[in-house]
Amino acid sequence: MKVAEISRFPIKSLLGERLDDVEIEQRGLIGDRLWAVRDVEGKIGSGKNTRRFRRMPGLLHLRGYFGERVPTVELPGGETFAADDPAGHAAVSHAIGRNVTIAREAEVQHHDEGPVSLITTAGLRQLAAMTGEPVDPARFRANLLIDLPGTGFLDDSWVGQDLQVGPTVLLRPQALQTRCIMINMAQGDLPESGRLLKAVAERPDLTFGLWATVIRAGRIAVGDAVTVNSRTLITAHP
């Protein structure tokens, strides 16, 4: 197995950027989802409504780019601005039809479930067989796409194991990742899908892919080998 794609989303729920390599820390990919759109109630812009999130149609027509100090936001017409620019906040508010600002992560984390998300090519092939059409990995907004031979949800068994990625990084998948209507939405050049969420709904608890914690930080690159290392759990006896 190897890393096929690396993706980072500097501003949560906006389009992101593909990378050749990236540094991973305990929080996840450097700069990933570190900023987010927030409404006047402090809810985080997303594709769904929950205790933390507020559904905000239109965010997937905007794009975020990493910056050392603050990310850059790009509007559909190509206009760009710094994420902390009040004039930019006004432009985003106009674009999505509600009053919002863009803020850095504080007490409430921006990740849906965990620091690093990943999917596999084998899983995508399985979904393609179920829907009758190719499934673009961009719909799942995962950090890592792992090139895994075969077809099926083979990565389900990785929960609780260790993933060695490249020479240094060690990830530990903690759970399958829950999906929502966002995977059906039009984004970038991808049109709206009417089949994908129905296919994922056939999975346990509407899941596809995994989220993982970072056991050992470091740098990864496209093409790096990925190895599943089984963990031996030692139980202490009285």
Side-chain angles (χ1 to χ4, degrees):
M1 296 188 295
K2 64 181 180 180
V3 177
E5 293 181 7
I6 302 172
S7 297
R8 173 170 58 195
F9 304 89
I11 304 175
K12 181 178 173 59
S13 298
L14 272 61
L15 298 174
E17 51 192 4
R18 289 269 295 276
L19 306 172
D20 294 326
D21 57 83
V22 71
E23 191 79 18
I24 292 185
E25 57 184 6
Q26 294 301 311
R27 187 188 170 277
L29 277 64
I30 294 290
D32 184 58
R33 295 171 170 90
L34 187 58
W35 292 66
V37 176
R38 293 178 180 270
D39 67 8
V40 295
E41 297 176 358
K43 294 275 191 175
I44 299 171
S46 178
K48 58 190 175 185
N49 288 314
T50 69
R51 181 180 59 84
R52 288 190 298 153
F53 302 133
R54 176 67 48 81
R55 186 168 185 263
M56 297 185 189
L59 292 181
L60 286 176
H61 297 296
L62 313 177
R63 187 178 296 275
Y65 296 97
F66 177 75
E68 289 295 336
R69 188 180 68 83
V70 297
T72 297
V73 180
E74 183 180 58
L75 296 177
E79 180 185 1
T80 61
F81 56 86
D84 61 353
D85 182 353
H89 296 177
V92 171
S93 298
H94 177 74
I96 67 173
R98 68 176 68 211
N99 188 23
V100 297
T101 57
I102 302 173
R104 185 184 173 96
E105 185 176 86
E107 294 82 10
V108 180
Q109 71 169 21
H110 293 166
H111 292 107
D112 283 9
E113 294 178 276
V116 179
S117 57
L118 59 94
I119 59 175
T120 71
T121 55
L124 292 174
R125 285 189 285 269
Q126 183 65 44
L127 287 181
M130 295 167 70
T131 60
E133 58 189 24
V135 178
D136 195 302
R139 290 195 178 278
F140 295 96
R141 302 173 59 77
N143 295 128
L144 304 181
L145 172 62
I146 307 300
D147 186 10
L148 174 62
T151 300
F153 305 115
L154 309 176
D155 53 312
D156 285 5
S157 65
W158 296 354
V159 174
Q161 308 300 320
D162 284 343
L163 288 185
Q164 176 77 42
V165 184
T168 306
V169 172
L170 193 67
L171 304 177
R172 185 166 296 161
Q174 299 289 346
L176 304 182
Q177 187 150 20
T178 306
R179 300 299 174 175
C180 66
I181 191 63
M182 202 165 186
I183 64 175
N184 274 6
M185 293 178 179
Q187 55 173 290
D189 297 329
L190 296 176
E192 185 175 350
S193 170
R195 301 179 182 179
L196 189 53
L197 191 60
K198 290 181 180 178
V200 174
E202 298 182 24
R203 298 264 302 141
D205 301 319
L206 206 69
T207 55
F208 179 73
L210 306 159
W211 67 267
T213 50
V214 180
I215 304 303
R216 187 167 61 238
R219 179 166 289 273
I220 64 170
V222 171
D224 275 352
V226 179
T227 305
V228 181
N229 301 319
S230 296
R231 298 173 57 220
T232 301
L233 302 180
I234 301 176
T235 303
H237 295 283

